[in-house]
Every structure is written in C-alpha cells, then in structure tokens.
Amino acid sequence: MTDALPGRAVRSSVWVEERLPGYHRYPAAPPARSHLASRHRHVFRVRADVLVRHDDRDIEFMDLAEELRQWWGAGERELGSASCEAVARELGNHLIGKGLPVLETAVAVVDEGGARVTWSVTD
C-alpha cells in the first residue's frame, strides 16, 4: 500500500457492525449474577473487521454485512451457553472459511460490554 510515513507500515481494513437479537445463558454464573444462568434475550452488537489490500476494496462492506447476517440467520439466534468470546471466534472462523482475511471479530451485549477475538494476517 502507498502513502505510508517513513518507517511506518500502512494496513487498511473494512468493518461492519450489525445489531442482532438472540438468546443465551451462562450456566456457571457466579451467585451474584445467578439470573444469567437462565436463558435470556439480548440484542447483540456483532462486528467483523477484514483486511483490504488496496483502496478499491477486496470486499464491499455491504457484502460483508450480508455475509454476517446470513451467518447469524433470520430472527433471533439461539446461542445456548456460548459466551460472546465463543460467538466471536465462531464468526471469525466462518469468515476465514469463506476466504476472508479476518483481523478481528467482536460480539457485545448492546450498551453493556462484550468480547473480541483477533487474528494475525500476513500480507
């Protein structure tokens, strides 16, 4: 890529973020959070960040968003006891399986907190 300052590398990426409904539970919740052991609903903020190697994009973010939504499925997704970390890893592995150079995926409970998973990508 061009336009790097001397001694600095440039890396570009595109990212998408969707708010998607789903259910999960945390069976090993500590006593102070025992309510989380039961199945409950959240709107999850799901994000994917993918390396692009030129300024005309290797993947259009509308296509990346569509891929993310298709992976999630229609309506509310049942996540079982999967943590945000596990769901982020599953999404990243799915996108990598589609041949995309994933840099990071993240899954969060809207307005609360979440987790991210990062991958190393060689240029």
Side-chain angles (χ1 to χ4, degrees), residues 22-33:
Y23 289 91
H24 76 156
R25 63 187 181 284
Y26 179 22
R33 303 283 181 235

Side-chain angles (χ1 to χ4, degrees), residues 24-40 81:
H24 76 156
R25 63 187 181 284
Y26 179 22
R33 303 283 181 235
S34 62
H35 63 282
L36 298 175
S38 298
R39 182 178 179 263
H40 55 280
S81 60

